[in-house]
Amino acid sequence: MKIIQKPNNARGTRDFGPKEMSLRTHVFTIIKNHFEAFGFQAIETPAMENLHILTGKYGEEGDQLVFKILNSGDYLSNTEAVDFSLGSKLLIPKISEKGLRYDLTVPFARFVAMNRNDIAFPFRRSQIQPVWRADRPQKGRYREFYQCDADIIGSDSLINEAELIALFQSIFSSLNLRTNLIINSRKILFGIVSVLGVSDLFVPFSVAIDKLDKIGWDSVALELISNGFSISQLESLRSLFQFQGSNNEKIQLLDDFFSDNEVGQQGLSEIKTVLDFSALNGFDNSNILFDFKLARGLSYYTGLIYEGKACDLPFGSIVGGGRYDNLTEAFGLPNMSGVGISFGIERIIDVMRELNLFPDIKTSASKILLTYFDLTGQSIALKIANELRKSNIASEVYPEIAKIKKSFEFADKKGIPFVGVIGEQEIKDDNITLKDMKNGEQKLLSISDLIKSL
Amino acid sequence: MKIIQKPNNARGTRDFGPKEMSLRTHVFTIIKNHFEAFGFQAIETPAMENLHILTGKYGEEGDQLVFKILNSGDYLSNTEAVDFSLGSKLLIPKISEKGLRYDLTVPFARFVAMNRNDIAFPFRRSQIQPVWRADRPQKGRYREFYQCDADIIGSDSLINEAELIALFQSIFSSLNLRTNLIINSRKILFGIVSVLGVSDLFVPFSVAIDKLDKIGWDSVALELISNGFSISQLESLRSLFQFQGSNNEKIQLLDDFFSDNEVGQQGLSEIKTVLDFSALNGFDNSNILFDFKLARGLSYYTGLIYEGKACDLPFGSIVGGGRYDNLTEAFGLPNMSGVGISFGIERIIDVMRELNLFPDIKTSASKILLTYFDLTGQSIALKIANELRKSNIASEVYPEIAKIKKSFEFADKKGIPFVGVIGEQEIKDDNITLKDMKNGEQKLLSISDLIKSL
């Protein structure tokens, strides 16, 4: 007796069938083409990384969310009975030395450190691959998802920030997705806590205000107090954060606020420069919004930071990125400044679907199905199919002698737009009946006219 | 003090830098285009599968080569002290419920079983994704590698076999790689052992002769004897296997050999039909070689089987495939016959590299680097770059005001074919000096002429 297993997906993972793949390919292709147009060179890194590469890069929570791979063979060979009382966390290094990549940034940093002598810096690299996180699955959050990253590493020029912003504008303009790009600088955030006299609280400050959108000011304020902010500092902060105005008005405000603060001034000057550069990119840049409340969660950012959001849906951020100065330092390559942008492709696809922004994308399939009623017709069908393919017309042959209705139904279900019928008369006259599945029209064509007509 | 980690790859895995990616993309794109031309619809499945999906499908050795993923969180919570004395193998189900996919065939079978109601059968599916195996790494054998599969499932017509052979011919013709396609049928192998009166030894027989190429007749004969073949049976087998001749001569020989054997006759008739169908594909099919010694290792094949080999390098097989009748049965969907072909893309790339078959592929990079000597030039460079990109000319801006020599060296190292220089005079005259990095030629152009010229 055969054992029958219920077929299912691992929790939090998805299959992509032909329809879904067509939509995904549409978005991936546009992003890829723009990456290329901006001179980014694609790389790929392996799904598995040694754990010492991944650990300690994503904070303690991140470390726990890395999927660990059991050592192959007798993975218990390095353990002793006493090890099992260590608990799950301490046992890991004894039975697992590899994990699945958690993002594309750390593997990229490893790649740069390993290939430093072959790379022409500044290096424009793009990378589009899946990553894995042992997060609790929920709507819109998966355990396997693609990231699409572009980075320019080995130059601290603000030209690079401007180039990534032009890339952002250019991609969403092609996708027809209206977005805002919120920008800020870590240096401005540092300037703010410095002016308030609590520069030592920079990290908890950034972590707390990163949650403003999610939990609101009151909860953030509580968190800041518990981290050592005074009531009067909170008041200054609140009045600063309440300010509404144009980019220029915000720059004006901070210019005064930072009159005595060098780092803050520097951050502000960088914002101005990047906005000036961006004005040259040929896009309407009114969607670039300076917001000095933007913090970004990741600790490795050191300069400009930004987040992209869809205008027409409250969907959280669909793009993130910023400048980092020390990404490769952990791998023995210090002083390698870079700036990156990451397109949240899964969310972009979800947003585009909800906003009905996908053009009428044909599920990739044959353009024509060839059908017939006898063995002679079958041979002719095989021959014609291969001729059509040589003219780049995707074709398939219905594999059996069947009632014509059956092949029409098949073409219809699969979304094949044309059926070519090879009947007795067609064989005699050396032509083919072409049926347009959309409007039902039929016409008799010679093979060369068939090729032209498709 | 920062801890510095030696950056390295997990054993048996590779990074692909821009140069390697260009070669890979060349091969992947050709295969993908042909898959589409034949009406195959792309799907993707997740890297992680539940272990009950994978286990028992690849034999005991295969089960061991599946990478297992530690359960997330407290993976020891389902264990008791006594479990650790079970040994590595028996402990696995208690601490790991997922594994990395080992091939694309089992996930495909799971996909078909789960989506049986939405799929239009016969379903032409293609899938190009990496797989992982905990094999001992060695030259040309990696722990992560891509598979490229095309299958037609839900039809037992031999038209499908012929279509896959046409696909094979068409892909290698585009790749300019000379190949042979060895074909046989499991039914012929079964017929042979039946005529010899040992049909119960079919499985060990197939396993043994699958190794003929690697270990030679003497070792295979020893293995067959140990499995219960008699000396006289071996003699009959040897004289059969020694036969040299054309496809037709081999068919003739077996026609006599199978005069009393129905399964053998059926296999032979299928070979004939497929060869007849293939004659209609428009390619020179003299590279299709019927060889009744071909066995293929995998147990799920039930009909026609084939293997592709490079003519000009003794590299083992670079393509494999065949017909299976029961692939989805383990997932509760019986009687779903299909036929598949798998392109060993990693080996194909290795062979093409060794035979110098790659055309002169430009490492994907910008077509032009824009460089300048002052802030005005910098602004103009940013503007021109974005204009060029709108005309699909991949461009990048050198990020700093630098000596012209430095930007030439950079373009050279990165393989950027043109440098556009925006100097004082160019700014005044509203044009640009274009330097061809190949021959050193320079010319002065207006921006619209620059776009035309690139």
Side-chain angles (χ1 to χ4, degrees), chain B residues 334-348:
Chain B
N335 304 321
M336 185 56 89
S337 187
V339 58
I341 189 163
S342 182
F343 291 82
I345 188 137
E346 309 286 353
R347 280 192 176 177
I348 291 171

Side-chain angles (χ1 to χ4, degrees), chain B residues 403-437:
Chain B
K403 292 228 172 82
I404 195 156
K405 210 184 140 210
K406 211 177 152 190
S407 60
F408 285 164
E409 282 169 0
F410 174 73
D412 208 44
K413 186 163 182 192
K414 212 177 154 183
I416 300 175
F418 294 97
V419 175
V421 182
I422 303 157
E424 212 175 322
Q425 195 58 43
E426 285 91 349
I427 297 173
K428 260 190 210 145
D429 301 345
D430 203 11
N431 54 25
I432 189 166
T433 300
L434 182 70
K435 179 174 167 130
D436 184 332
M437 294 302 291

Side-chain angles (χ1 to χ4, degrees), chain A residues 366-368 385 388-389 393-397, chain B residues 37-39 124 163:
Chain A
S366 299
K367 186 111 195 237
I368 180 168
L388 290 172
R389 287 163 189 157
I393 298 161
S395 317
E396 67 189 88
V397 179
Chain B
F38 280 74
R124 294 185 173 216
E163 287 276 85

Side-chain angles (χ1 to χ4, degrees), chain B residues 336-362:
Chain B
M336 185 56 89
S337 187
V339 58
I341 189 163
S342 182
F343 291 82
I345 188 137
E346 309 286 353
R347 280 192 176 177
I348 291 171
I349 291 166
D350 287 348
V351 169
M352 288 183 61
R353 202 194 320 264
E354 280 204 43
L355 294 175
N356 262 317
L357 291 182
F358 282 107
D360 185 19
I361 295 169
K362 208 177 71 65

